[in-house]
Amino acid sequence: MSRIGNRIIKIEPGVNVEIAKNNVKVSGSLGTLEIPYDDKLLNIKNENNEITITRKNEEKFTRMIHGTINANIMNAIIGVSKGHTKSLKIVGVGYKAALKGNQVDLYLGHSHNILIDIPAGIKLTCPSPTEINIVGPDKTIVGELADRIRSKRPPEPYKGKGVMYTNEHIIRKVGKTADAKK
């Protein structure tokens, strides 16, 4: 029995949910998202501003997809009403980020600067040269962009230099010392 799949989703004010044959269209102040699903496996109903999802059979794949579709609809409702946020911080001497039109320009200690395109619908801000805030309605696109930026210089364990999430804790290693050889 799926706890996530059986969860009842409450629709927030200002959010419109339309259930079609093979997709759920969620629209709000920040945009519109569509979540595809297989209507042969799941029933999705919208009654009294509450969405319920039930399975049509008890096969393994249907049970697996039940909770996933519920979570995707919940993320879409939160995304079009409040938005999803990821914050990154840059640690290192000379490491910085800046906006250049529809791209983010990263200086991360390489011999060249790195330009990354910002997808449509995503708002990226740099309040300071060492901070990046990513906001958007689609949780997957926000997470993928944050991960793509972080992958250009992941934090290293000795000095902690690199691009990391704001709430990320880097486990530090002790460097080599002359005392360790004894």
Side-chain angles (χ1 to χ4, degrees):
M1 186 159 126
S2 173
R3 293 182 188 171
I4 300 293
N6 292 330
R7 174 178 60 185
I8 295 172
I9 302 171
K10 297 188 186 315
I11 300 173
E12 297 185 15
V15 176
N16 184 24
V17 177
E18 298 173 17
I19 300 171
K21 184 176 180 179
N22 278 331
N23 70 3
V24 177
K25 187 175 182 181
V26 181
S27 56
S29 61
L30 295 178
T32 302
L33 297 173
E34 291 188 12
I35 297 97
Y37 75 97
D38 191 356
D39 64 336
K40 295 178 187 125
L41 302 176
L42 300 172
N43 285 325
I44 300 178
K45 295 178 185 170
N46 182 0
E47 297 171 344
N48 301 329
N49 280 341
E50 291 182 343
I51 297 176
T52 56
I53 302 172
T54 56
R55 297 189 292 261
K56 290 188 177 179
N57 59 42
E58 292 298 318
E59 293 177 12
K60 185 175 182 178
F61 181 75
T62 307
R63 291 192 319 253
M64 288 181 348
I65 205 74
H66 186 205
T68 302
I69 296 298
N70 189 307
N72 288 346
I73 293 172
M74 181 70 144
N75 287 337
I77 290 172
I78 293 170
V80 298
S81 61
K82 300 174 189 168
H84 295 284
T85 306
K86 288 279 186 181
S87 297
L88 300 169
K89 68 178 179 180
I90 302 171
V91 177
V93 176
Y95 292 5
K96 62 183 177 177
L99 286 175
K100 276 192 176 176
N102 199 23
Q103 295 178 322
V104 61
D105 194 5
L106 301 171
Y107 299 91
L108 299 174
H110 297 290
S111 62
H112 59 286
N113 57 339
I114 300 167
L115 293 171
I116 296 178
D117 293 328
I118 301 171
I122 300 296
K123 182 181 175 192
L124 190 139
T125 58
C126 294
S128 74
T130 59
E131 293 179 29
I132 301 172
N133 293 328
I134 305 167
V135 179
D138 194 347
K139 187 174 186 178
T140 58
I141 294 175
V142 169
E144 285 174 0
L145 180 61
D147 189 50
R148 196 171 344 135
I149 292 171
R150 183 182 183 275
S151 71
K152 300 304 176 187
R153 179 69 79 177
E156 54 97 13
Y158 293 101
K159 294 183 181 178
K161 292 170 42 174
V163 181
M164 63 189 80
Y165 297 110
T166 303
N167 57 357
E168 183 178 12
H169 176 72
I170 304 299
I171 297 173
R172 305 293 286 273
K173 290 183 179 178
V174 177
K176 295 179 182 178
T177 61
D179 250 6
K181 292 182 180 179
K182 291 183 182 178

